[in-house]
mmCIF file of all heavy atoms in Angstrom:
data_model
loop_
_atom_site.group_PDB
_atom_site.id
_atom_site.type_symbol
_atom_site.label_atom_id
_atom_site.label_comp_id
_atom_site.label_asym_id
_atom_site.label_seq_id
_atom_site.Cartn_x
_atom_site.Cartn_y
_atom_site.Cartn_z
ATOM 1 N N LEU A 831 40.745 16.266 -16.143
ATOM 2 C CA LEU A 831 39.339 16.367 -16.554
ATOM 3 C C LEU A 831 38.500 16.671 -15.310
ATOM 4 O O LEU A 831 38.390 15.869 -14.404
ATOM 5 C CB LEU A 831 38.888 15.015 -17.138
ATOM 6 C CG LEU A 831 37.404 14.905 -17.566
ATOM 7 C CD1 LEU A 831 37.087 15.981 -18.614
ATOM 8 C CD2 LEU A 831 37.119 13.541 -18.134
ATOM 9 N N ALA A 832 37.924 17.841 -15.282
ATOM 10 C CA ALA A 832 37.199 18.318 -14.116
ATOM 11 C C ALA A 832 36.023 19.161 -14.584
ATOM 12 O O ALA A 832 36.006 19.707 -15.677
ATOM 13 C CB ALA A 832 38.089 19.158 -13.175
ATOM 14 N N GLY A 833 35.024 19.235 -13.646
ATOM 15 C CA GLY A 833 33.835 20.085 -13.987
ATOM 16 C C GLY A 833 32.790 19.974 -12.949
ATOM 17 O O GLY A 833 32.772 19.141 -12.036
ATOM 18 N N PHE A 834 31.887 20.937 -13.090
ATOM 19 C CA PHE A 834 30.718 21.031 -12.171
ATOM 20 C C PHE A 834 29.693 19.972 -12.553
ATOM 21 O O PHE A 834 29.482 19.738 -13.731
ATOM 22 C CB PHE A 834 30.132 22.392 -12.273
ATOM 23 C CG PHE A 834 28.886 22.629 -11.422
ATOM 24 C CD1 PHE A 834 29.014 22.831 -10.073
ATOM 25 C CD2 PHE A 834 27.640 22.589 -11.978
ATOM 26 C CE1 PHE A 834 27.879 23.021 -9.286
ATOM 27 C CE2 PHE A 834 26.559 22.793 -11.256
ATOM 28 C CZ PHE A 834 26.620 23.003 -9.902
ATOM 29 N N GLN A 857 28.249 12.419 -16.074
ATOM 30 C CA GLN A 857 29.162 11.317 -16.201
ATOM 31 C C GLN A 857 30.489 11.702 -16.784
ATOM 32 O O GLN A 857 30.560 12.647 -17.572
ATOM 33 C CB GLN A 857 28.526 10.145 -16.962
ATOM 34 C CG GLN A 857 27.229 9.594 -16.396
ATOM 35 C CD GLN A 857 27.492 8.765 -15.126
ATOM 36 O OE1 GLN A 857 28.591 8.278 -14.905
ATOM 37 N NE2 GLN A 857 26.463 8.603 -14.327
ATOM 38 N N ILE A 858 31.560 10.944 -16.457
ATOM 39 C CA ILE A 858 32.849 11.112 -17.152
ATOM 40 C C ILE A 858 33.123 9.808 -17.944
ATOM 41 O O ILE A 858 33.225 8.726 -17.404
ATOM 42 C CB ILE A 858 33.979 11.354 -16.064
ATOM 43 C CG1 ILE A 858 33.776 12.693 -15.416
ATOM 44 C CG2 ILE A 858 35.315 11.265 -16.770
ATOM 45 C CD1 ILE A 858 34.797 12.988 -14.329
ATOM 46 N N ALA A 859 33.151 9.960 -19.253
ATOM 47 C CA ALA A 859 33.304 8.830 -20.159
ATOM 48 C C ALA A 859 34.683 8.858 -20.813
ATOM 49 O O ALA A 859 35.327 9.921 -20.939
ATOM 50 C CB ALA A 859 32.235 8.881 -21.185
ATOM 51 N N THR A 861 37.323 8.178 -24.027
ATOM 52 C CA THR A 861 37.372 8.465 -25.439
ATOM 53 C C THR A 861 38.629 8.003 -26.071
ATOM 54 O O THR A 861 39.630 7.760 -25.342
ATOM 55 C CB THR A 861 37.185 10.041 -25.684
ATOM 56 O OG1 THR A 861 37.066 10.258 -27.005
ATOM 57 C CG2 THR A 861 38.377 10.727 -25.033
ATOM 58 N N ILE A 863 39.839 9.848 -28.834
ATOM 59 C CA ILE A 863 40.308 10.900 -29.635
ATOM 60 C C ILE A 863 41.712 11.298 -29.204
ATOM 61 O O ILE A 863 41.919 11.480 -27.954
ATOM 62 C CB ILE A 863 39.354 12.110 -29.501
ATOM 63 C CG1 ILE A 863 37.939 11.693 -30.038
ATOM 64 C CG2 ILE A 863 39.863 13.317 -30.260
ATOM 65 C CD1 ILE A 863 36.909 12.838 -29.922
ATOM 66 N N SER A 866 42.604 14.148 -26.211
ATOM 67 C CA SER A 866 41.510 14.427 -25.387
ATOM 68 C C SER A 866 41.527 13.561 -24.113
ATOM 69 O O SER A 866 41.679 12.299 -24.206
ATOM 70 C CB SER A 866 40.160 14.194 -26.137
ATOM 71 O OG SER A 866 39.073 14.430 -25.313
ATOM 72 N N SER A 867 41.392 14.146 -22.935
ATOM 73 C CA SER A 867 41.415 13.418 -21.671
ATOM 74 C C SER A 867 40.189 12.513 -21.529
ATOM 75 O O SER A 867 40.305 11.375 -21.137
ATOM 76 C CB SER A 867 41.515 14.387 -20.463
ATOM 77 O OG SER A 867 42.613 15.222 -20.648
ATOM 78 N N GLY A 868 39.043 13.042 -21.866
ATOM 79 C CA GLY A 868 37.790 12.265 -21.720
ATOM 80 C C GLY A 868 36.591 13.145 -22.095
ATOM 81 O O GLY A 868 36.778 14.251 -22.615
ATOM 82 N N VAL A 869 35.468 12.705 -21.845
ATOM 83 C CA VAL A 869 34.202 13.387 -22.170
ATOM 84 C C VAL A 869 33.419 13.630 -20.881
ATOM 85 O O VAL A 869 33.111 12.681 -20.198
ATOM 86 C CB VAL A 869 33.386 12.580 -23.173
ATOM 87 C CG1 VAL A 869 32.195 13.398 -23.655
ATOM 88 C CG2 VAL A 869 34.204 12.122 -24.333
ATOM 89 N N LEU A 870 33.117 14.901 -20.654
ATOM 90 C CA LEU A 870 32.228 15.235 -19.570
ATOM 91 C C LEU A 870 30.847 15.348 -20.102
ATOM 92 O O LEU A 870 30.497 16.276 -20.894
ATOM 93 C CB LEU A 870 32.707 16.561 -18.891
ATOM 94 C CG LEU A 870 31.975 16.973 -17.691
ATOM 95 C CD1 LEU A 870 32.190 15.969 -16.516
ATOM 96 C CD2 LEU A 870 32.446 18.381 -17.213
ATOM 97 N N VAL A 871 29.903 14.436 -19.718
ATOM 98 C CA VAL A 871 28.615 14.321 -20.331
ATOM 99 C C VAL A 871 27.599 14.815 -19.308
ATOM 100 O O VAL A 871 27.529 14.257 -18.158
ATOM 101 C CB VAL A 871 28.306 12.897 -20.792
ATOM 102 C CG1 VAL A 871 26.916 12.800 -21.380
ATOM 103 C CG2 VAL A 871 29.363 12.354 -21.694
ATOM 104 N N ARG A 872 26.833 15.797 -19.653
ATOM 105 C CA ARG A 872 25.723 16.300 -18.781
ATOM 106 C C ARG A 872 24.397 16.095 -19.546
ATOM 107 O O ARG A 872 24.312 16.475 -20.726
ATOM 108 C CB ARG A 872 25.910 17.788 -18.419
ATOM 109 C CG ARG A 872 27.190 18.070 -17.641
ATOM 110 C CD ARG A 872 27.166 19.528 -17.184
ATOM 111 N NE ARG A 872 28.327 19.895 -16.433
ATOM 112 C CZ ARG A 872 29.484 20.371 -16.917
ATOM 113 N NH1 ARG A 872 29.524 20.630 -18.256
ATOM 114 N NH2 ARG A 872 30.503 20.735 -16.180
ATOM 115 N N GLY A 895 21.415 17.713 -23.777
ATOM 116 C CA GLY A 895 22.667 17.206 -23.282
ATOM 117 C C GLY A 895 23.868 17.958 -23.876
ATOM 118 O O GLY A 895 23.749 18.532 -24.948
ATOM 119 N N THR A 896 24.965 17.949 -23.135
ATOM 120 C CA THR A 896 26.228 18.515 -23.640
ATOM 121 C C THR A 896 27.311 17.495 -23.470
ATOM 122 O O THR A 896 27.384 16.768 -22.466
ATOM 123 C CB THR A 896 26.512 19.778 -22.807
ATOM 124 O OG1 THR A 896 26.731 19.440 -21.393
ATOM 125 C CG2 THR A 896 25.455 20.803 -22.923
ATOM 126 N N LEU A 897 28.206 17.456 -24.450
ATOM 127 C CA LEU A 897 29.382 16.571 -24.497
ATOM 128 C C LEU A 897 30.603 17.423 -24.658
ATOM 129 O O LEU A 897 30.824 18.033 -25.719
ATOM 130 C CB LEU A 897 29.249 15.471 -25.547
ATOM 131 C CG LEU A 897 28.127 14.474 -25.410
ATOM 132 C CD1 LEU A 897 26.866 14.999 -26.084
ATOM 133 C CD2 LEU A 897 28.528 13.144 -26.013
ATOM 134 N N ASP A 898 31.391 17.513 -23.591
ATOM 135 C CA ASP A 898 32.575 18.356 -23.628
ATOM 136 C C ASP A 898 33.838 17.439 -23.715
ATOM 137 O O ASP A 898 34.212 16.739 -22.753
ATOM 138 C CB ASP A 898 32.662 19.205 -22.339
ATOM 139 C CG ASP A 898 33.814 20.150 -22.334
ATOM 140 O OD1 ASP A 898 34.488 20.295 -23.410
ATOM 141 O OD2 ASP A 898 34.103 20.754 -21.239
ATOM 142 N N TYR A 899 34.483 17.466 -24.908
ATOM 143 C CA TYR A 899 35.712 16.670 -25.107
ATOM 144 C C TYR A 899 36.874 17.562 -24.716
ATOM 145 O O TYR A 899 37.375 18.348 -25.532
ATOM 146 C CB TYR A 899 35.858 16.236 -26.552
ATOM 147 C CG TYR A 899 34.728 15.276 -27.023
ATOM 148 C CD1 TYR A 899 33.508 15.747 -27.463
ATOM 149 C CD2 TYR A 899 34.942 13.920 -27.013
ATOM 150 C CE1 TYR A 899 32.489 14.843 -27.847
ATOM 151 C CE2 TYR A 899 33.994 13.019 -27.383
ATOM 152 C CZ TYR A 899 32.718 13.522 -27.815
ATOM 153 O OH TYR A 899 31.768 12.623 -28.266
ATOM 154 N N GLN A 900 37.278 17.427 -23.487
ATOM 155 C CA GLN A 900 38.343 18.309 -22.938
ATOM 156 C C GLN A 900 39.641 18.001 -23.581
ATOM 157 O O GLN A 900 40.027 16.793 -23.781
ATOM 158 C CB GLN A 900 38.412 18.161 -21.427
ATOM 159 C CG GLN A 900 37.167 18.690 -20.713
ATOM 160 C CD GLN A 900 37.366 18.788 -19.232
ATOM 161 O OE1 GLN A 900 38.441 18.522 -18.702
ATOM 162 N NE2 GLN A 900 36.305 19.183 -18.528
ATOM 163 N N GLY A 901 40.392 19.058 -23.969
ATOM 164 C CA GLY A 901 41.683 18.949 -24.584
ATOM 165 C C GLY A 901 41.662 19.015 -26.092
ATOM 166 O O GLY A 901 42.667 19.173 -26.757
ATOM 167 N N GLN A 902 40.453 18.989 -26.678
ATOM 168 C CA GLN A 902 40.217 19.048 -28.129
ATOM 169 C C GLN A 902 39.336 20.152 -28.595
ATOM 170 O O GLN A 902 39.102 20.402 -29.747
ATOM 171 C CB GLN A 902 39.728 17.747 -28.699
ATOM 172 C CG GLN A 902 40.741 16.626 -28.743
ATOM 173 C CD GLN A 902 41.852 16.934 -29.716
ATOM 174 O OE1 GLN A 902 41.645 17.393 -30.822
ATOM 175 N NE2 GLN A 902 43.056 16.757 -29.317
ATOM 176 N N ASN A 903 38.839 20.900 -27.578
ATOM 177 C CA ASN A 903 37.902 22.041 -27.871
ATOM 178 C C ASN A 903 36.737 21.592 -28.742
ATOM 179 O O ASN A 903 36.253 22.356 -29.597
ATOM 180 C CB ASN A 903 38.664 23.207 -28.597
ATOM 181 C CG ASN A 903 39.731 23.786 -27.677
ATOM 182 O OD1 ASN A 903 39.560 23.901 -26.471
ATOM 183 N ND2 ASN A 903 40.881 24.121 -28.253
ATOM 184 N N ARG A 904 36.270 20.421 -28.533
ATOM 185 C CA ARG A 904 35.099 19.990 -29.255
ATOM 186 C C ARG A 904 33.875 19.916 -28.262
ATOM 187 O O ARG A 904 33.985 19.307 -27.186
ATOM 188 C CB ARG A 904 35.261 18.629 -29.885
ATOM 189 C CG ARG A 904 33.961 18.043 -30.453
ATOM 190 C CD ARG A 904 34.137 16.834 -31.315
ATOM 191 N NE ARG A 904 32.859 16.342 -31.772
ATOM 192 C CZ ARG A 904 32.727 15.461 -32.746
ATOM 193 N NH1 ARG A 904 33.763 14.992 -33.393
ATOM 194 N NH2 ARG A 904 31.502 15.088 -33.127
ATOM 195 N N ASN A 905 32.790 20.587 -28.642
ATOM 196 C CA ASN A 905 31.580 20.609 -27.780
ATOM 197 C C ASN A 905 30.400 20.218 -28.646
ATOM 198 O O ASN A 905 30.166 20.844 -29.690
ATOM 199 C CB ASN A 905 31.430 22.018 -27.224
ATOM 200 C CG ASN A 905 32.479 22.398 -26.254
ATOM 201 O OD1 ASN A 905 32.805 21.657 -25.274
ATOM 202 N ND2 ASN A 905 33.156 23.524 -26.531
ATOM 203 N N ASP A 906 29.727 19.191 -28.222
ATOM 204 C CA ASP A 906 28.507 18.795 -28.915
ATOM 205 C C ASP A 906 27.300 19.020 -27.989
ATOM 206 O O ASP A 906 27.401 18.836 -26.790
ATOM 207 C CB ASP A 906 28.567 17.257 -29.264
ATOM 208 C CG ASP A 906 29.695 16.965 -30.249
ATOM 209 O OD1 ASP A 906 30.238 17.912 -30.868
ATOM 210 O OD2 ASP A 906 29.996 15.795 -30.413
ATOM 211 N N LYS A 907 26.224 19.402 -28.662
ATOM 212 C CA LYS A 907 24.959 19.609 -27.962
ATOM 213 C C LYS A 907 23.898 18.716 -28.596
ATOM 214 O O LYS A 907 23.840 18.640 -29.857
ATOM 215 C CB LYS A 907 24.499 21.067 -28.033
ATOM 216 C CG LYS A 907 25.463 22.032 -27.358
ATOM 217 C CD LYS A 907 24.956 23.447 -27.427
ATOM 218 C CE LYS A 907 25.956 24.398 -26.797
ATOM 219 N NZ LYS A 907 25.470 25.836 -26.843
ATOM 220 N N ASN A 937 30.378 21.756 -32.862
ATOM 221 C CA ASN A 937 31.196 22.879 -33.366
ATOM 222 C C ASN A 937 32.229 22.370 -34.357
ATOM 223 O O ASN A 937 33.006 23.192 -34.907
ATOM 224 C CB ASN A 937 31.852 23.547 -32.183
ATOM 225 C CG ASN A 937 32.805 22.653 -31.384
ATOM 226 O OD1 ASN A 937 32.861 21.418 -31.578
ATOM 227 N ND2 ASN A 937 33.481 23.260 -30.452
#
Side-chain angles (χ1 to χ4, degrees):
L831 177 59
F834 178 77
Q857 298 288 338
I858 293 181
T861 184
I863 299 178
S866 177
S867 303
V869 187
L870 187 62
V871 182
R872 298 186 181 94
T896 61
L897 294 89
D898 183 11
Y899 294 85
Q900 294 190 2
Q902 285 295 315
N903 296 323
R904 172 169 178 165
N905 295 307
D906 294 349
K907 297 180 181 180
N937 60 354

